[in-house]
Every structure is written in C-alpha cells, then in structure tokens.
Amino acid sequence: MIDHKDFMHGAALVAIADSDMFTALNRASVKYGHYVVNHDRHLFIKYNDGKGPGDYFFTFSGEDKKRISSEPALQVFAVLVCGNEVVTGIARDELSQLIPLATAAASTVKVSAQQGRQLKVSGPNGQLPLIPRRSFPARVLS
C-alpha cells in the first residue's frame, strides 16, 4: 500500500524532477522528507492535507528546527506542500524570520493560498513578502 505522505512528498519531488534545472536527487538522512537536490540543496518537505483554497498550517517541532538550523549546507529550504493547491519553498533564512529556530518549542508557519492570489507566508515572528504561486521549484533550484 502506498502511504499518503509519499503522495504528498511526490507532488514536490515531481515538480523538481520536471525542471530543467534539476540534476540529482538523493536522500539526505534517515529523517523522512530530508533530501539533497543537485548535490548542494537540502530540502525538508512538510505537507498539510487541507483542501484549498485557504490557509495551511505547518508545525515545526523542536527536532525539525534543530535539524534545519544545524544543517551545514549553505542552501537549506523548507518545502511546504499545501494539500492539492500549491507547493512552495522557503529558504532557511526566510524561515528564521518567521519562527525562532533556536528554541526547542514547536512553532507554526501559515501559508495563505487564496485562489488566484500570491501566497502569504507568516509565522509568530512576522510575514514574508508575497510569493508567486508558480515560483516552485525555481525558488529552490536557482
């Protein structure tokens, strides 16, 4: 039987593999959802099953934040799969503007994916500039 989480992660991975900028995909660690793309970009994929359009919430546990912040690679991204609506990626430095990566407490990021509008990504520490819906996977591959 195919796990639902595999379908959700597959949405992000297929978009990446279909890009002209894609060269390689490898599993990066034993952590499910942690991949290395093009030998230099670490991706941490999270998903929310919600039905769009609407708001999608992604919880980053203390362990998630520790893994993301301690990854020595320069290019580290959280890839957020918003149900069957949209996939987006945010860089580690952007994520650190939204949630405190250094704390052990869980933190939540919200992606507002209103139909026909750019994505609003926010957390307890603030909001990012609007992100175009079609910016993934170029946002993590360029």
Side-chain angles (χ1 to χ4, degrees), residues 38-95:
N38 295 356
H39 306 290
D40 64 348
R41 295 153 206 286
H42 283 252
L43 308 182
F44 291 87
I45 300 177
K46 295 187 105 20
Y47 71 91
N48 179 307
D49 284 331
K51 302 287 186 235
D55 293 336
Y56 297 87
F57 297 89
F58 299 89
T59 300
F60 289 83
S61 68
E63 184 62 29
D64 291 336
K65 295 191 300 183
K66 182 179 178 182
R67 285 180 186 268
I68 290 169
S69 61
S70 65
E71 175 55 53
L74 294 177
Q75 299 192 49
V76 178
F77 299 87
V79 174
L80 308 175
V81 181
C82 302
N84 59 3
E85 183 74 16
V86 69
V87 178
T88 192
I90 57 175
R92 175 172 47 197
D93 64 324
E94 293 174 312
L95 185 62

Side-chain angles (χ1 to χ4, degrees), residues 107-129:
S107 300
T108 302
V109 169
K110 177 173 97 172
V111 177
S112 293
Q114 300 303 320
Q115 192 168 11
R117 295 186 177 206
Q118 295 185 68
L119 305 174
K120 291 181 187 176
V121 182
S122 61
N125 291 353
Q127 181 174 315
L128 297 178

Side-chain angles (χ1 to χ4, degrees), residues 15-16 19 21 41 77 134-142:
I16 289 168
S19 171
M21 295 180 276
R41 295 153 206 286
F77 299 87
R134 296 181 187 241
S135 65
F136 187 83
R139 204 160 201 279
V140 302
L141 294 177
S142 57

